[in-house]
C-alpha cells in the first residue's frame, strides 16, 4: 500500500467515523450515562468488528463475506432489539449517583457488545469494507506490513475520532447534577440508544 493510498484510507475512515451515526450516538449515550471509560468500551467493540471486516476483505474471502452480508440481517435485528432493551433500562433507571456513574461488570461487557453488534449489522460498514475498501489497496499483493498499517490506520482514525466523542460527552455529563437533572440525563441517554436502534432499522 502506497503512502498516498494510506493517507486517503485514513481520511476516508476519519470522515466516516466523524459523521454522526449509530456508533457515535452509542458512544455518546454510554459516556453520558456512566463515564468516558464506558464510551471507550463501545469504541473497543466498534474496532473489534472493524478488524473482522478488515480480515475478511484482505483475505479475499468473498464467499464468507457474502454469507456475512446475509447473516448481517439477523445480526441487525438482534442488535436493534438489544439497543431498544438498553434504551428502556437506561430510560427507567434510578437517578441516584451510584446507578448512573458506577458501571458493573455486566454494564462494561454490554458496552463492548453494543459496539460490536452495531458495526457488524451496519450496512455502511459492510459496504465500505467489502466494496469501497478494496479501492485503496490491491488485495492480490497484500503484505504483512500492509495489514499492520491498515489496522493501525483503522485504530487511529476510527478509534481516535470516537474517543473524542466519548470524552466530550463525559465532560458534558457533569452539567447534570441533582436528582431531576440525572433523570433527564437518563432519558437523554436512553433516547440516544433508541435512536441508534431506529437508525439501524432504517438503514438498508
Amino acid at each position: 500500500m502506497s503512502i498516498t493510498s494510506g493517507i486517503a484510507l485514513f481520511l476516508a475512515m476519519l470522515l466516516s467515523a466523524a459523521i454522526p451515526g449509530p456508533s457515535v450516538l452509542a458512544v455518546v449515550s454510554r459516556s453520558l450515562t456512566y463515564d468516558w471509560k464506558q464510551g471507550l468500551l463501545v469504541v473497543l467493540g466498534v474496532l473489534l468488528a472493524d478488524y473482522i471486516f478488515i480480515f475478511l476483505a484482505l483475505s479475499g474471502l468473498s464467499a464468507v463475506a457474502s454469507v456475512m452480508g446475509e447473516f448481517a440481517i439477523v445480526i441487525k435485528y438482534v442488535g436493534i432489539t438489544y439497543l431498544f432493551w438498553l434504551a428502556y433500562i437506561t430510560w427507567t433507571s434510578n437517578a441516584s449517583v451510584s446507578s448512573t456513574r458506577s458501571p458493573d461488570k455486566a454494564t462494561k461487557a454490554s458496552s463492548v457488545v453494543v459496539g460490536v453488534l452495531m458495526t457488524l449489522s451496519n450496512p455502511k460498514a459492510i459496504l465500505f469494507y467489502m466494496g469501497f475498501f478494496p479501492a485503496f489497496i490491491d488485495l492480490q499483493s497484500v503484505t504483512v506490513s500492509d495489514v499492520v498499517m491498515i489496522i493501525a490506520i483503522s485504530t487511529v482514525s476510527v478509534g481516535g475520532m470516537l474517543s473524542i466523542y466519548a470524552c466530550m460527552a463525559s465532560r458534558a455529563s457533569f452539567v447534570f447534577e441533582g436528582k431531576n437533572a440525572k433523570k433527564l440525563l437518563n432519558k437523554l441517554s436512553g433516547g440516544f440508544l433508541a435512536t441508534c436502534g431506529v437508525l439501524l432499522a432504517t438503514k438498508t
Side-chain angles (χ1 to χ4, degrees), residues 43-68:
V43 176
L44 174 61
V46 171
L47 290 176
L48 290 176
D50 278 349
Y51 297 156
I52 292 175
F53 283 133
I54 289 173
F55 171 76
L56 291 176
L58 295 182
S59 299
L61 302 178
S62 57
V64 176
S66 177
V67 173
M68 181 69 184

Side-chain angles (χ1 to χ4, degrees), residues 15-40:
L15 179 60
S16 178
I19 298 175
S23 297
V24 171
L25 290 178
V27 169
V28 169
S29 174
R30 300 305 265 185
S31 297
L32 280 174
T33 305
Y34 297 102
D35 54 28
W36 60 272
K37 294 179 182 178
Q38 289 302 298
L40 292 185

Side-chain angles (χ1 to χ4, degrees), residues 13 36 100 109 118 138 165 171 182 185:
M13 287 186 163
W36 60 272
T100 57
M118 281 196 312
D138 182 4
Y165 276 110
R171 289 180 64 87
K182 290 186 181 299
L185 176 59

Side-chain angles (χ1 to χ4, degrees), residues 172-201:
S173 69
F174 289 102
V175 175
F176 297 87
E177 295 295 339
K179 186 174 181 179
N180 290 333
K182 290 186 181 299
K183 283 183 178 180
L184 176 61
L185 176 59
N186 287 344
K187 295 187 184 303
L188 181 63
S189 299
F192 275 135
L193 288 172
T195 301
C196 291
V198 172
L199 288 177
L200 280 182

